[in-house]
Amino acid sequence: MKRAFSCLPFILCFCLRLFFPRQTLLGAKTGLMLWFFTLLPSMLPFLILSSLFVHLEVLEKLFGRGASFWRRAFGLSPQGTYALFMGIFCGYPMGAKVTADLYRGQRITRQEADYLLTFSCHPGPSFLSAYLCVEILGREDVTGWTYLVIYLSSFLCSLMFRPSRRRQSVPETPAVSAPFRENLKKETSASLSLGEALDASILNAFLSITKLGGYMILFSVLQSFLKTWLPAVPCIRYPVLGLMEITTGLSALSQSRLPFSLLYILTVSFTSFGGLCVAAQTKSMLADTDLSLIPYLKGKLCCLTITLALTFFLVEVVKVIV
């Protein structure tokens, strides 16, 4: 019964595809173009390099010297700090991807992986400056304030979920699924050559980027149906679109007649949350581990709340953004 119920969304999607081919085609084209022209060139090189770094065990050399600082500032090991920085600079869902790779390779504990998922997934700087501030808002002058709000919200969120030092010191043994155990031994072996590591990294990167593209296309199709069927009521239409998929959701918001103050608060908050599409992409990055999506969702809801408060303060109280 449970399995039959889980198939209902796929049956519904199949029926929509048959009876509404125009909306399906439009949504699929939009998602495919976003993936091919935006996600693929911006993320694939970072996915390959990140996986290569993990395979060659060079993370300790990159962040090892500042281990005490990383633990005091962020509550993270040097390896966990690498996942955080990749999440910041590369954007969704790179933080989750690196966290899962480190956990599979037994470089971080389950506790640190769960903690990282609460605040290591961010929109990338290029997305914030080029797409959100310039293309959507048309205000390059708010880029600095947007960086401040997004990353300060994430840091404050990390403080709320940070485990105690006593609990952090307890060792844990990461668990991986059976199909990955043999690959794990090979990938983490000291005898792994540069060529083998590069081959494994390229295959891993293309598998991940293909998954992301599939989710982007599916959610773009769903977004196309929602745009057609949702009532033209701003308080219903724009929150649903914004929380579903941020790229097309922000585009729909930019076409509204909302005042800039409200538009800024909504777009930055939705960007901070990431949308259900990013949540699905994050879940796919955690495949073949026992890591749960729950810490990620808790962190994103916390970050959304903090971002709403900070943007409201900047726009309505101190009025630095007008």
Side-chain angles (χ1 to χ4, degrees):
M1 182 68 181
K2 183 178 179 182
R3 184 174 182 180
F5 183 77
S6 65
C7 293
L8 287 178
F10 300 100
I11 297 175
L12 177 61
C13 290
F14 181 75
C15 293
L16 291 174
R17 171 67 181 88
L18 290 178
F19 295 106
F20 301 95
R22 185 181 297 276
Q23 289 90 338
T24 303
L25 182 61
L26 178 62
K29 282 183 176 180
T30 302
L32 182 60
M33 291 301 102
L34 283 172
W35 175 77
F36 187 78
F37 289 105
T38 302
L39 196 66
L40 185 64
S42 63
M43 283 198 65
L44 184 60
F46 289 106
L47 286 170
I48 295 174
L49 288 175
S50 174
S51 183
L52 185 63
F53 285 164
V54 173
H55 289 155
L56 295 180
E57 304 181 6
V58 298
L59 301 183
E60 292 80 0
K61 297 178 181 178
L62 290 175
F63 293 94
R65 293 185 178 181
S68 60
F69 172 77
W70 306 130
R71 189 163 296 278
R72 285 196 299 267
F74 302 108
L76 295 172
S77 65
Q79 295 86 349
T81 305
Y82 173 72
L84 173 62
F85 274 75
M86 290 299 289
I88 291 175
F89 291 113
C90 302
Y92 296 123
M94 194 64 181
K97 162 67 175 160
V98 178
T99 298
D101 286 344
L102 292 171
Y103 181 62
R104 288 192 196 98
Q106 300 184 2
R107 313 293 173 80
I108 59 176
T109 64
R110 168 64 184 267
Q111 184 184 27
E112 186 172 11
D114 286 340
Y115 172 53
L116 272 167
L117 289 175
T118 62
F119 75 106
S120 66
C121 299
H122 311 81
S126 60
F127 181 89
L128 293 176
S129 59
Y131 187 74
L132 176 59
C133 295
V134 176
E135 185 170 345
I136 298 299
L137 298 174
R139 291 278 302 273
E140 190 175 358
D141 59 297
V142 300
T143 302
W145 290 111
T146 304
Y147 285 157
L148 175 65
V149 168
I150 292 293
Y151 297 123
L152 179 59
S153 298
S154 182
F155 178 72
L156 294 176
C157 181
S158 75
L159 297 179
M160 300 183 66
F161 289 96
R162 182 172 301 186
S164 66
R165 289 182 179 275
R166 180 183 63 82
R167 292 178 61 196
Q168 266 188 323
S169 62
V170 177
E172 301 181 35
T173 303
V176 295
S177 64
F180 264 79
R181 287 201 181 102
E182 291 301 320
N183 290 337
L184 180 62
K185 292 178 182 179
K186 180 180 178 181
E187 291 177 359
T188 57
S189 172
S191 61
L192 194 66
S193 68
L194 177 61
E196 291 173 330
L198 184 58
D199 288 344
S201 299
I202 292 173
L203 289 174
N204 190 8
F206 269 99
L207 176 62
S208 299
I209 204 71
T210 304
K211 286 183 180 180
L212 299 183
Y215 281 106
M216 182 170 285
I217 292 171
L218 286 176
F219 274 85
S220 293
V221 171
L222 179 58
Q223 194 88 310
S224 178
F225 288 118
L226 290 176
K227 287 180 180 179
T228 303
W229 295 339
L230 282 175
V233 180
C235 63
I236 297 177
R237 184 180 182 87
Y238 297 123
V240 171
L241 293 177
L243 293 174
M244 185 63 60
E245 203 279 323
I246 56 171
T247 308
T248 52
L250 294 180
S251 178
L253 272 171
S254 67
Q255 299 169 14
S256 68
R257 298 182 179 180
L258 297 175
F260 180 79
S261 58
L262 180 57
L263 180 65
Y264 183 80
I265 292 173
L266 290 177
T267 53
V268 175
S269 299
F270 290 154
T271 301
S272 176
F273 178 70
L276 297 181
C277 181
V278 172
Q281 293 173 1
T282 300
K283 178 63 177 176
S284 74
M285 295 297 100
L286 305 181
D288 305 299
T289 73
D290 61 343
L291 295 176
S292 170
L293 189 65
I294 299 300
Y296 169 84
L297 294 176
K298 288 180 178 179
K300 288 289 100 180
L301 289 173
C302 176
C303 202
L304 171 63
T305 304
I306 296 173
T307 302
L308 273 171
L310 287 177
T311 51
F312 181 84
F313 178 77
L314 291 176
V315 172
E316 300 293 341
V317 180
V318 297
K319 298 184 184 300
V320 294
I321 298 176
V322 293

